[in-house]
Amino acid sequence: MKNKAVKIGRNALCPCGSGKKYKNCCRNKKMEISIREEYKQRYDITLKEPHQIEGIKKCGDLLISILNKVEKIIKPGLKTDDINTLVHEETIKAGAIPAPLNYRGFPKSVCVSVNDVICHGIPGDRVLKDGDIVNVDITPILDGYYADASKTFFVGTPTEQGKKIVNVAAQSLKRGIEIIAPGATLGDIGHAIQSYAEAQSCSVVREFVGHGVGIDFHEQPQVLHFGRRGKGLALVPGMVITIEPMINLGKRDLHVLEDRWTAVTNDGSLSAQFEQTIVVTETGWESLTPYEL
């Protein structure tokens, strides 16, 4: 993909997002299409060069090493701010920067979301209890590159409800990732997640979505976790995105607390999330923040 025009097959999905085949869409306009230029000009999407993907992957390796250290300390009695301290210190020690810290006023280095907190939980004096579930969302910046991933952990002995929502959220991410290939669409990802989660009598949060990442914290495109097959932008090699479905055990409705960050379920039901940073390859996909689902 480096600095070259890529020819599109006549029967391939048109990259303009129309949902039509290329031969029935932009090809008829006699457009000379360079995928890299087209995606940047039309959608503000930066397709990543090989050296950039390597930089993001190196950042992802650091992220996963920190996430594994977090997993080892999760237990009843731990304060959520203890998680923030570990993530902050490990990030700085590696010569990296915690992207959440002071991002649009966020006061901590990591998001820690417990039980009915959907996302953006601010670490503090809250003490984890036996049976809780807790999501830890980490984004370091290493050598100018960003990687973004999260995982939901059990605290002590999980409840039956906790086991269900954590399993459904993990499988939702897995099914979304497995859809990825050149020519698949963002709608395909959303449909795979939504159809699975709702079949398990759970709901998909719609207010928060995945996104492009790598040379900035949040880039285009937005990656919805609900949708219709064949709709939306076509995936192409070099695209780096997060997929991060937030799945509720009850209804999908939410509200944000007075701190203007913490999003919680309206009905008090449990919410779980898993997230990885994924690059679209010539033949499929690769996780740049891999862990087992």
Side-chain angles (χ1 to χ4, degrees):
M1 291 291 293
K2 188 172 182 179
N3 297 325
K4 67 178 181 179
V6 179
K7 297 297 183 182
I8 302 173
R10 289 166 46 84
N11 293 310
L13 202 62
C14 189
C16 76
S18 66
K20 300 178 182 178
K21 291 183 179 180
Y22 176 49
K23 67 181 181 181
N24 296 324
C25 193
C26 289
R27 184 175 185 274
N28 291 336
K29 301 172 186 176
K30 300 185 183 302
M31 296 173 63
E32 180 71 20
I33 292 183
S34 161
I35 297 276
R36 186 175 301 280
E37 294 174 358
E38 186 76 11
Y39 271 58
K40 185 62 179 177
Q41 291 175 9
R42 287 199 177 193
Y43 314 114
D44 194 27
I45 295 171
T46 301
L47 301 181
K48 306 304 188 291
E49 303 275 8
H51 74 276
Q52 294 174 316
I53 294 169
E54 284 303 311
I56 301 166
K57 187 173 184 177
K58 182 178 178 182
C59 186
D61 290 342
L62 170 62
L63 190 164
I64 293 302
S65 72
I66 297 173
L67 196 61
N68 289 339
K69 290 176 181 178
V70 168
E71 184 169 15
K72 291 179 180 179
I73 69 167
I74 296 290
K75 64 180 179 180
L78 186 74
K79 291 183 179 179
T80 55
D81 203 42
D82 295 332
I83 298 172
N84 180 77
T85 298
L86 186 151
V87 171
H88 182 86
E89 291 180 349
E90 291 294 324
T91 302
I92 299 301
K93 186 168 67 175
I97 301 168
L101 185 61
N102 299 320
Y103 177 77
R104 297 183 179 177
F106 191 81
K108 296 289 184 172
S109 295
V110 64
C111 296
V112 181
S113 304
V114 184
N115 293 340
D116 64 334
V117 178
I118 294 169
C119 62
H120 301 160
I122 301 174
D125 292 332
R126 181 167 184 169
V127 177
L128 299 179
K129 298 182 296 185
D130 189 63
D132 284 346
I133 60 172
V134 56
N135 177 270
V136 179
D137 189 345
I138 301 175
T139 309
I141 312 168
L142 182 63
D143 299 328
Y145 294 106
Y146 294 71
D148 195 1
S150 81
K151 193 173 182 179
T152 300
F153 302 102
F154 296 121
V155 181
T157 304
T159 65
E160 289 303 311
Q161 285 190 328
K163 286 191 286 188
K164 176 179 179 179
I165 193 60
V166 169
N167 178 67
V168 172
Q171 288 301 309
S172 294
L173 174 58
K174 183 176 181 180
R175 288 165 187 258
I177 291 174
E178 289 175 345
I179 290 294
I180 295 176
T185 69
L186 292 174
D188 293 339
I189 296 173
H191 178 268
I193 293 168
Q194 180 184 10
S195 60
Y196 171 75
E198 292 180 353
Q200 311 307 310
S201 300
C202 295
S203 62
V204 180
V205 171
R206 301 193 179 200
E207 289 82 352
F208 301 101
V209 299
H211 51 87
V213 72
I215 55 178
D216 203 350
F217 198 164
H218 296 99
E219 304 175 25
Q220 292 298 326
Q222 292 193 343
V223 182
L224 278 59
H225 304 118
F226 58 95
R228 297 172 59 189
R229 285 178 180 160
K231 298 298 182 179
L233 199 61
L235 305 178
V236 294
M239 188 181 290
V240 178
I241 58 175
T242 71
I243 304 179
E244 46 184 297
M246 286 146 270
I247 309 298
N248 296 348
L249 193 59
K251 296 181 179 180
R252 66 178 180 86
D253 307 280
L254 61 85
H255 62 280
V256 177
L257 300 184
E258 290 184 0
D259 62 23
R260 294 167 46 173
W261 281 103
T262 307
V264 300
T265 59
N266 280 358
D267 59 11
S269 63
L270 294 177
S271 184
Q273 178 189 22
F274 288 81
E275 172 187 14
Q276 292 191 27
T277 295
I278 308 295
V279 59
V280 183
T281 68
E282 297 287 346
T283 57
W285 57 271
E286 179 186 359
S287 176
L288 304 179
T289 55
Y291 59 76
E292 186 175 354
L293 290 167

